[in-house]
Amino acid sequence: MTVPQILAELGGVSRRTFHRWRELGLGPAAFKLPNGELRVWRSDFSAWLRGLEGAAARSRRVIVPRPPDLHVRGTGRVNPNAMPK
């Protein structure tokens, strides 16, 4: 795949962002042709995308709301307005 093809599949990622990901080692595996152009095997691109999806799924967390603070800050006393009824 060419860089423009990759950018089209990613839907709006800039060329600069793609190259920055590569500089940081976060992009898909690529190789240079003798004329200096980058190419990415479709299988490597697909594997990279699957890896991103897996990382995103692992990073999703369930956010549990905190119970109300029963103490008045700095006083050590219980806040009567926060007591469950």
Side-chain angles (χ1 to χ4, degrees), residues 10 34 36 42 62 69 72 79:
L10 293 175
R42 180 163 289 281
V62 176
D69 192 4
V72 178
N79 181 354

Side-chain angles (χ1 to χ4, degrees), residues 8-55:
E9 291 226 11
L10 293 175
V13 172
S14 72
R15 179 179 289 270
R16 177 67 191 123
T17 297
F18 175 75
H19 287 293
R20 181 71 176 147
W21 288 345
R22 290 204 9 86
E23 289 171 10
L24 297 172
L26 302 173
F31 58 94
K32 278 191 177 181
L33 296 176
N35 65 1
E37 291 184 15
L38 281 178
R39 292 290 189 270
V40 175
W41 291 109
R42 180 163 289 281
S43 58
D44 289 341
F45 179 73
S46 297
W48 175 72
L49 279 180
R50 281 193 304 276
L52 292 178
E53 290 168 353

Side-chain angles (χ1 to χ4, degrees), residues 61-78:
R61 296 182 184 159
V62 176
I63 298 175
V64 179
R66 288 182 55 199
D69 192 4
L70 298 178
H71 292 88
V72 178
R73 290 204 173 149
T75 65
R77 296 181 306 193
V78 173

